[in-house]
Amino acid sequence: MERVETLIYQTNPRHLELLAIGLGEMAEIASRAVSKGEYYAAEKAISSMTDTAVRYLNSRKKNFALYPEPSMPLSGLITGDMDRILSLIYEHLLEINRNAVEHKTQTISIKAIESLGVIGTQLATLGGQSPRLTWKPIGYLGFCITAAQESKLHDVPRHENSYIRNNSTGLI
């Protein structure tokens, strides 16, 4: 299965567009579900986004390219060709977290933040220079935690502190 997915990613120029559409739909489902108080649907949509990211990273682990971050070329930060999809996921999770914070929904905020942690951990396990790619999900994770903390959702930073402490071997 992994070889088939790799072949699709290499030969189909529209795979990124199709993934982006699906991820956008999942993010919309999550945001609308938070607004309506349907937290189970929001959690499932976030889980689907996370699973999609992990599956995408697993299928690309032997065929990804690293290069300097285009917005900061002299910073020493690197990014990968997978970043077109991952950045989209990070932005969607950030928006879902904003919506959750706005509606004072700690469980969804925690789920979005944990999703960023799972993706960052997965990035760290790709091998080679890949641990250097974790700066982006960690940054988004920080923005999400800060937003929750500023809205006095005290369980979010407390929960994420213990989550990071227990799962950060690949991240830091």
Side-chain angles (χ1 to χ4, degrees), residues 4-163:
V4 172
E5 287 176 337
T6 300
L7 184 63
I8 290 170
Y9 292 137
Q10 291 175 339
T11 59
N12 185 355
R14 294 201 51 195
H15 79 275
L16 290 177
E17 183 181 329
L18 296 173
L19 272 173
I21 290 168
L23 290 166
E25 293 293 325
M26 286 184 248
E28 178 134 359
I29 289 168
S31 290
R32 286 186 181 185
V34 169
S35 298
K36 293 178 179 180
E38 298 171 355
Y39 305 129
Y40 181 75
E43 285 183 17
K44 287 300 177 184
I46 293 168
S47 293
S48 294
M49 291 175 66
T50 307
D51 293 345
T52 301
V54 168
R55 189 160 184 75
Y56 179 70
L57 288 171
N58 280 334
S59 66
R60 295 292 314 274
K61 67 182 165 195
K62 294 180 181 164
N63 64 354
F64 64 93
L66 300 177
Y67 46 86
E69 171 62 27
S71 64
M72 299 176 278
L74 301 176
S75 67
L77 296 174
I78 63 170
T79 192
D81 60 344
M82 300 136 354
D83 208 44
R84 289 181 282 175
I85 290 296
L86 294 179
S87 289
L88 186 63
I89 293 170
Y90 303 151
E91 287 295 325
H92 287 320
L93 290 170
L94 181 66
E95 189 58 37
I96 291 166
N97 184 69
R98 281 186 192 134
N99 197 8
V101 166
E102 181 181 309
H103 288 88
K104 303 288 188 199
T105 310
Q106 295 190 85
T107 56
I108 303 303
S109 181
I110 288 169
K111 186 76 173 173
I113 293 167
E114 283 180 354
S115 179
L116 289 164
V118 167
I119 295 168
T121 302
Q122 188 65 30
L123 274 170
T125 63
L126 293 179
Q129 293 290 316
S130 65
R132 292 180 58 197
L133 294 171
T134 60
W135 66 274
K136 230 175 200 177
I138 290 172
Y140 277 91
L141 194 141
F143 288 133
C144 290
I145 291 173
T146 300
Q149 207 167 12
E150 288 172 353
S151 291
K152 307 219 183 308
L153 299 179
H154 300 299
D155 286 346
V156 175
R158 186 179 4 216
H159 183 273
E160 296 315 317
N161 184 29
S162 64
Y163 176 82

